[in-house]
Amino acid sequence: MLNPEILYMVVPCYNEEEVLHETAKQLKEKYQSLRERQLISAKSRVVFVNDGSKDKTWQIIQELHQSDPDFFSGINLAHNSGHQNAVLAGLMTVKDICDMAITMDADLQDDINTIDAMVEKYYEGNQVVYGVRSERKTDTFFKRFTAEGFYKFMKVMGADVVYNHADFRLMSKRVLQELANFKEVNLFLRGMVPLIGFQSTSVFYERHERFAGESKYPLKKMLSFAMNGITSFSVKPLKLITSLGFFMTIVSIIAFIWAFISKLIGDTELGWSSTICSIWLIGGLQLLCLGIIGEYIGKIYAEVKQRPRFIVAEFINELGAEFVNKE
């Protein structure tokens, strides 16, 4: 490669003190290999984004920078802003100082060796390269069933997401610049990036077990994340409510006709169970519909306030000079 371009890795971190040294070691070895193959410029860097960690994560990031100031950089968010906001904070910081950026979690479950294929696909003309899991052998049955069900359900709801793709992806500078135009507070990057368009492709890899520490996505967070993705990129739930309303109206008319005919023929001895079941059914449907509508209203409420999606407390290295925190 005659003119290798600048690659920045953006690695969001939340309480990752147990794995961070190993992550840094493996990334440094990978970068050295890529430089030797002239796939990336010597100006390429790794940026760790500390998302309000409560352990020694930020201290370790500072130590890594001190050990190799020309390779490791860091961003310290003022408080825990959430995984998607931490990823965005890193991307918006480096978008003007890199040619391409790769986002990857710190837990080493994403295969670092896949970075080679991502960079090669970029040089072939792809503006976005998605890291896609080839299989889910390391997942429990429940995790595999719910995760695959989530992607299928998102497709049914009309959201354009890449099946079995999380947030391990490469994006070009052009894509990052377009991503900066998306101002919504409720972030779902898996849906936002495909909306940008441009030429894209996928590379497949086998996801590893977590190197150390605990998962930052328990069931409660996974469900919340799924709900955010659905309500951020699809209005089908609202359309389903309308369809359900029409259906219940028709059922009610039929029930009214049946009750009227029963009255005329004198068959009016009705059981209490049918009445109770009807009340519970209608009441449950009403609460469900109100809940779905409430999710959308809540998102509107969050958007119109236009609060910052993240606040940077501290930069390491040259990052602060390149970025004005207007996000």
Side-chain angles (χ1 to χ4, degrees):
M1 189 67 60
L2 296 177
N3 296 305
E5 299 188 13
I6 300 173
L7 167 66
Y8 267 75
M9 291 289 302
V10 173
V11 185
C13 306
Y14 179 67
N15 294 342
E16 299 289 3
E17 63 178 3
E18 297 181 50
V19 71
L20 205 51
H21 283 294
E22 182 64 24
T23 302
K25 174 187 173 183
Q26 292 192 25
L27 283 175
K28 190 169 184 178
E29 291 174 351
K30 175 53 60 181
Y31 264 59
Q32 289 173 345
S33 171
L34 291 170
R35 286 169 177 168
E36 289 173 1
R37 296 176 58 196
Q38 294 187 337
L39 287 176
I40 62 173
S41 166
K43 296 180 180 179
S44 300
R45 302 285 186 270
V46 172
V47 180
F48 293 107
V49 183
N50 179 41
D51 186 24
S53 298
K54 298 177 182 178
D55 60 4
K56 297 180 180 179
T57 295
W58 180 240
Q59 179 182 332
I60 294 173
I61 294 173
Q62 292 175 311
E63 292 171 354
L64 289 170
H65 169 67
Q66 291 172 1
S67 67
D68 193 343
D70 294 328
F71 183 68
F72 294 114
S73 300
I75 303 168
N76 187 29
L77 301 186
H79 58 85
N80 179 248
S81 300
H83 178 270
Q84 298 290 279
N85 285 312
V87 172
L88 186 70
L91 292 175
M92 293 301 97
T93 300
V94 306
K95 66 181 176 64
D96 295 322
I97 54 178
C98 71
D99 297 304
M100 51 182 158
I102 294 178
T103 55
M104 185 190 78
D105 291 341
D107 55 18
L108 293 177
Q109 288 189 281
D110 296 323
D111 187 3
I112 287 180
N113 291 321
T114 310
I115 294 174
D116 298 67
M118 286 182 161
V119 174
E120 290 169 357
K121 293 292 184 182
Y122 166 78
Y123 284 121
E124 291 175 7
N126 295 287
Q127 300 292 308
V128 181
V129 183
Y130 299 102
V132 178
R133 296 182 63 169
S134 57
E135 54 190 12
R136 287 183 171 271
K137 289 183 178 179
T138 59
D139 289 348
T140 63
F141 171 78
F142 179 76
K143 178 66 179 294
R144 182 169 60 254
F145 176 78
T146 53
E148 292 179 348
F150 164 73
Y151 288 107
K152 292 176 181 177
F153 187 66
M154 288 292 290
K155 283 289 187 182
V156 172
M157 288 292 101
D160 184 17
V161 295
V162 179
Y163 186 74
N164 269 343
H165 163 70
D167 288 297
F168 185 32
R169 70 179 72 86
L170 178 148
M171 290 177 282
S172 69
K173 177 194 285 284
R174 176 70 188 280
V175 173
L176 294 177
Q177 291 171 342
E178 295 300 330
L179 181 61
N181 294 325
F182 287 69
K183 301 300 182 182
E184 58 253 50
V185 174
N186 300 286
L187 294 179
F188 186 68
L189 295 173
R190 301 179 197 185
M192 292 169 63
V193 175
L195 281 179
I196 296 174
F198 296 111
Q199 182 174 331
S200 64
T201 189
S202 299
V203 295
F204 296 88
Y205 70 99
E206 185 175 345
R207 191 168 172 86
H208 305 307
E209 294 280 359
R210 184 179 176 85
F211 182 83
E214 299 179 353
S215 172
K216 305 306 184 296
Y217 265 91
L219 178 60
K220 183 178 179 181
K221 280 192 175 181
M222 286 174 59
L223 293 174
S224 176
F225 184 67
M227 178 61 73
N228 184 48
I230 293 168
T231 54
S232 293
F233 284 88
S234 175
V235 295
K236 275 197 174 182
L238 294 176
K239 293 180 178 179
L240 288 174
I241 289 176
T242 303
S243 301
L244 182 61
F246 278 116
F247 174 75
M248 292 307 299
T249 300
I250 293 172
V251 171
S252 298
I253 293 172
I254 294 173
F256 176 79
I257 294 172
W258 171 74
F260 182 72
I261 293 174
S262 297
K263 178 69 173 178
L264 291 177
I265 64 177
D267 186 15
T268 57
E269 186 177 345
L270 301 175
W272 65 271
S273 58
S274 59
T275 303
I276 295 299
C277 290
S278 298
I279 293 173
W280 279 96
L281 174 62
I282 299 300
L285 288 174
Q286 287 176 334
L287 289 175
L288 174 63
C289 294
L290 287 173
I292 294 174
I293 295 171
E295 284 288 331
Y296 283 92
I297 294 175
K299 281 183 165 34
I300 295 171
Y301 175 67
E303 295 291 344
V304 297
K305 287 186 293 186
Q306 296 186 333
R307 290 179 179 174
R309 293 171 291 188
F310 55 85
I311 298 174
V312 177
E314 184 178 356
F315 292 99
I316 288 180
N317 211 352
E318 78 281 2
L319 297 178
E322 301 289 344
F323 177 68
V324 178
N325 184 23
K326 294 182 179 179
E327 300 298 324

